[in-house]
Amino acid sequence: MSVNVEKRTEPPGEADHATEAWELKERIRSAEGVLRQRRGFFVDAYRRSTTHLLVENDEIVAFASVRRDGYILFLAVHPDHRGRGHAERLIADVAEDHRSVTCHARTTNTRALGFYEHLGFEVVRRIDDYYEDGGDAYYLKLGGESLRERLSGFVGR
């Protein structure tokens, strides 16, 4: 059976899928203890960013909200849809639209750090007490043009 994953983009100022994105993010937070934000912060940041969405059967399976400078505010993939290249596809979309792609990740989030390292992100610096709960973060930056070419293969999916 073939699965059709539709790509959608919400520009800044639109938030048609903000509630559904929040619910996906909260599901991940509850299960994995990551992606902790207050709802007001999340919705405000979502509205100000461009959000790339992957949708299957009218349900968000993955999304990335990105500031206009290429900073990834949120990246989430539904747990039942991981391992299908969705996060890589979203990062490729962001890399295609921006000269620089950056993000933060918790120093304790080994899954995210491994993913970003696999794609070619490099740790620029560590920031102690970055998160509201006192958690530390790494500031990461996507390196190299050759990586952009490698990621561009995901865009065509």
Side-chain angles (χ1 to χ4, degrees):
M1 179 171 110
S2 175
V3 175
N4 185 22
V5 177
E6 177 187 351
K7 184 172 96 171
R8 298 181 188 167
T9 303
E10 280 194 338
E14 291 186 21
D16 293 342
H17 295 91
T19 297
E20 192 177 353
W22 168 260
E23 290 168 358
L24 172 56
K25 183 206 74 68
E26 281 297 284
R27 177 181 178 164
I28 294 167
R29 183 202 52 78
S30 177
E32 301 172 21
V34 296
L35 300 176
R36 297 178 200 141
Q37 291 93 24
R38 288 174 285 120
R39 185 180 179 103
F41 171 83
F42 177 87
V43 172
D44 185 53
Y46 186 102
R47 282 190 178 127
R48 293 175 183 226
S49 64
T50 297
T51 300
H52 301 271
L53 302 141
L54 297 179
V55 179
E56 182 181 310
N57 298 324
D58 287 325
E59 178 185 339
I60 294 176
V61 297
F63 73 94
S65 294
V66 185
R67 291 189 323 212
R68 67 176 175 217
D69 63 356
Y71 177 82
I72 300 169
L73 292 161
F74 311 113
L75 174 64
V77 177
H78 191 290
D80 296 342
H81 295 267
R82 292 182 179 163
R84 299 179 190 178
H86 293 328
E88 290 91 342
R89 182 176 177 186
L90 292 169
I91 297 291
D93 288 346
V94 173
E96 190 167 279
D97 291 345
H98 300 280
R99 289 177 17 153
S100 175
V101 179
T102 58
C103 65
H104 284 93
R106 280 187 185 269
T107 58
T108 57
N109 190 345
T110 56
R111 178 182 283 160
L113 293 169
F115 167 76
Y116 287 123
E117 181 182 339
H118 167 73
L119 291 182
F121 279 79
E122 300 166 353
V123 173
V124 175
R125 68 181 168 273
R126 179 188 174 108
I127 304 167
D128 294 333
D129 299 319
Y130 177 77
Y131 294 102
E132 283 185 1
D133 64 2
D136 302 332
Y138 290 120
Y139 178 70
L140 306 165
K141 183 173 183 177
L142 184 61
E145 289 301 314
S146 62
L147 180 62
R148 289 185 196 284
E149 293 171 10
R150 194 170 94 203
L151 285 174
S152 70
F154 291 105
V155 175
R157 285 187 180 182

